[in-house]
Amino acid sequence: MAQTRLLRAIWLAVMVCAMVTPARGEIRILASPGGQVGPFLDLFERVRQSGENVVIDGPCLSACTLVLSLVPSDRICVTRRAILGFHAARSIDRRGRTYSEPQASKLVLQAYPAGVRDWIRRHGGLTSHVLLLRGRELAALYPTCR
């Protein structure tokens, strides 16, 4: 059990490091499936403090979308490949069973910028189904990267 947790932690650390590519004062999110919330909060807090811009240039799913809550909107832009994926918060118990976290979902929703929050609500709210924000709808909320 401890070895499984260690392997998961190592995998998560690799995924977090692989999802960003620093280039000339920017962080580029190329593809992130998400994962545990804690490492993403830590990462995006460091990005916020660094003053670097964030370019979302591919899928940014689940916990990755917390970038929208921590990095100021004027430092985030999206490419035509950007996709944001939102779902309700959930946890996994020791037996591997998934269960919902309604209070955490409420907190996460409130942390998103108003435009994102409104889009999520218009599309049914945070549920177990993934909502994908992309294309024109995403471009209406965040500037397109140059």
Side-chain angles (χ1 to χ4, degrees):
M1 186 62 119
Q3 184 178 13
T4 301
R5 285 186 182 180
L6 176 61
L7 290 173
R8 284 183 186 162
I10 291 169
W11 179 84
L12 179 61
V14 168
M15 291 304 297
V16 169
C17 292
M19 71 170 227
V20 294
T21 305
R24 294 171 290 174
E26 70 182 28
I27 300 296
R28 184 170 294 265
I29 299 173
L30 300 173
S32 174
Q36 293 181 352
V37 169
F40 282 91
L41 291 174
D42 294 343
L43 173 66
F44 294 138
E45 177 60 23
R46 287 193 309 272
V47 171
R48 184 187 67 73
Q49 291 177 5
S50 76
E52 291 180 304
N53 293 322
V54 175
V55 176
I56 303 175
D57 190 21
C60 176
L61 310 176
S62 191
C64 177
T65 64
L66 294 171
V67 67
L68 307 175
S69 301
L70 292 167
V71 176
S73 295
D74 64 347
R75 290 185 19 221
I76 297 174
C77 68
V78 297
T79 71
R80 61 180 176 79
R81 292 181 296 275
I83 302 171
L84 300 177
F86 305 93
H87 63 80
R90 57 187 178 227
S91 292
I92 300 174
D93 68 16
R94 292 181 182 185
R95 294 182 181 167
R97 293 178 297 199
T98 302
Y99 58 95
S100 64
E101 294 278 6
Q103 286 303 106
S105 293
K106 287 179 186 177
L107 291 172
V108 168
L109 184 62
Q110 287 305 310
Y112 288 129
V116 173
R117 203 169 43 240
D118 293 342
W119 182 90
I120 291 170
R121 286 182 178 141
R122 285 194 313 273
H123 288 83
L126 295 176
T127 68
S128 60
H129 300 286
V130 177
L131 296 174
L132 297 177
L133 174 57
R134 58 184 159 198
R136 289 184 179 147
E137 290 181 300
L138 180 54
L141 297 172
Y142 288 92
T144 302
C145 305
R146 297 180 183 163

